[in-house]
């Protein structure tokens, strides 16, 4: 389930925060509880990024399909002349 805060995050914001979470985890020096909380936040941020990327892919695929249909329609109109 997504929170309102996560829904409000843009791709770049989520990506930048995810980078910071990974940096902190890799640096170490955190307690087990802090590490788990960071890992959970990282998982949430990764899901936000994935939703944005999936949405962008769907929009791109739709635009490409529309363009292909328009080209096919032009070609078939040209064949009838």
């Amino acid at each position: 389930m997504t929170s309102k805060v996560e829904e409000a995050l843009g791709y770049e914001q989520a990506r930048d925060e995810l980078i910071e979470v990974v940096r902190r985890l890799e640096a170490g020096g955190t307690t087990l509880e802090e590490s788990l909380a960071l890992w959970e936040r990282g998982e949430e941020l990764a899901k936000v990024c994935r939703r944005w990327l999936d949405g962008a892919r769907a929009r791109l695929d739709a635009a490409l399909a529309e363009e292909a249909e328009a080209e096919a329609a032009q070609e078939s109109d040209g064949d009838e002349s």
Side-chain angles (χ1 to χ4, degrees), residues 19-65:
I19 289 168
E20 180 61 20
V21 165
V22 170
R23 186 195 64 73
R24 289 181 60 196
L25 285 168
E26 288 178 342
T30 57
T31 67
L32 178 58
E33 281 299 314
E34 291 169 333
S35 294
L36 285 172
L38 285 168
W39 179 80
E40 289 171 344
R41 181 61 179 159
E43 288 291 321
E44 292 169 3
L45 292 165
K47 288 177 186 175
V48 170
C49 289
R50 174 58 52 201
R51 277 194 296 273
W52 275 105
L53 292 173
D54 289 346
R57 169 55 66 192
R59 289 174 58 193
L60 179 60
D61 289 345
L64 291 173

